[in-house]
Amino acid sequence: MDVMRTVKEFEGLSSGLDGVGRTTFTAPPAGPASSTRSLLELTELLADAPVVAVCESNSMRNVGDHWSAVGRTVAWVERLGRTISLYEAASLQALGKFSPLQGKLVIVGGSGLVGPGRFETCVESIFAQRPASVALWGIGHNYQEGVQLDPTTGWRRRVLKDGVTRIWPEWLGKADVVGVRDWDAGMPWVPCASCMLPAFDLLREREPEHEFVVLNHYERGIDTSRPLAAGADFEHITNNTEDILETLTRLASAKVVVSNSYHALYWALMLGRGAVSVAPNSTRFHGFRWPVSYASQADWPSAVDHARPAPEALGQARAANVEMSRRVLQIGRSLGLVDPREAIDPAEGARVDTLTAR
């Protein structure tokens, strides 16, 4: 049976109509409607793509989540593949043997996808769709405070050197290659692939204009009343934007970045700036390889004085990503999904200006 015809018939059923227009049932949404394409749209998008990059979200509500996607930051993945969200990838499981992920090289990452809940369910659904190979690239631990779920069943426990306990799920073992962004976690280390963007090379050379800049997660504010009362000169922005170049430029304008957003802190380190993590509420904030100052809402202004840059961070992050790029590229070539005669630089980062307009 023709695949597109099967998908159309399935979508008719899922929308509440059978093949002749009779009411049947309503399928639950796979994810946010604003960022989830139909099964037919996804099937057509992925039909001729040998590589599928799966990211946390296609929504622009969070600049960090959006630009952590390997399919938006590594040049060869962006060129040869198509990027879809976790929810879209999970929705394809409903197509069974007709899933367009079957036989493909599927790259999942980055973002904090490791933790009990919907992200875990979506990632696990990918393995059931019989891809030729799965690479987990730059995903991270993200067990949030207040989550009342017991993750011990089917998980293994590891203890970091700093005493923080990490619990890693067994499904990581199903992937052909794994790289987690958490340092010293007993797993292969590959930090967020956004470090591959060429913009960091230019911006890290800029002379800072301010002592610090504050970037807060759009869902959680940072109290700036004390520095404002003291007459401090600083910028205060949020991560609710689609413009990564503007975000990186403003972060680079200061010596220290104060934030409760994972990627703002990571990008500060990539830019050679100091980083202050305010009121960290998840395990994701404790997996950095380089020194980060931790502070509460009340005492973060004093923590700014102690934050120190890590000039070696960008080089180390890129080296790990280039090695991961080589490994995943070799898998694609060995499977016949990537032409071995094609000249590909595994160290090339995607140009942001070519992606923003997409």
Side-chain angles (χ1 to χ4, degrees), residues 232-270:
D233 177 27
F234 65 95
E235 286 197 276
H236 189 177
I237 59 179
T238 76
N239 65 349
N240 187 17
T241 176
E242 64 183 54
D243 195 335
I244 189 173
L245 286 178
E246 176 67 15
T247 300
L248 293 179
T249 299
R250 297 176 81 170
L251 295 181
S253 71
K255 295 178 181 178
V256 176
V257 173
V258 177
S259 187
N260 55 7
S261 162
Y262 175 90
H263 284 96
L265 299 169
Y266 178 68
W267 291 340
L269 295 164
M270 297 301 100

Side-chain angles (χ1 to χ4, degrees), residues 147-202:
V147 175
Q148 302 301 314
L149 293 174
D150 181 5
T152 56
T153 303
W155 288 49
R156 61 176 175 268
R157 184 177 298 273
R158 293 185 181 274
V159 181
L160 301 184
K161 290 180 180 178
D162 61 4
V164 177
T165 299
R166 292 280 199 273
I167 304 173
W168 293 98
E170 295 290 353
W171 52 257
L172 269 72
K174 297 179 182 179
D176 296 286
V177 58
V178 176
V180 302
R181 68 187 188 184
D182 303 274
W183 177 251
D184 248 357
M187 303 289 287
W189 178 72
V190 180
C192 179
S194 60
C195 68
M196 302 297 289
L197 295 173
F200 286 102
D201 297 294
L202 177 64

Side-chain angles (χ1 to χ4, degrees), residues 115-129:
R118 57 182 182 170
F119 288 166
E120 177 182 41
T121 301
C122 288
V123 175
E124 287 194 284
S125 76
I126 293 172
F127 295 106
Q129 298 179 55

Side-chain angles (χ1 to χ4, degrees), residues 8 178 212 222 243 259 329 331 336:
K8 289 179 181 178
V178 176
F212 64 90
I222 292 178
D243 195 335
S259 187
L329 183 58
I331 290 174

Side-chain angles (χ1 to χ4, degrees), residues 9-26:
E9 290 178 353
F10 181 87
E11 286 206 318
L13 291 169
S14 298
S15 63
L17 300 175
D18 66 11
V20 293
R22 293 185 295 250
T23 301
T24 54
F25 65 92
T26 300

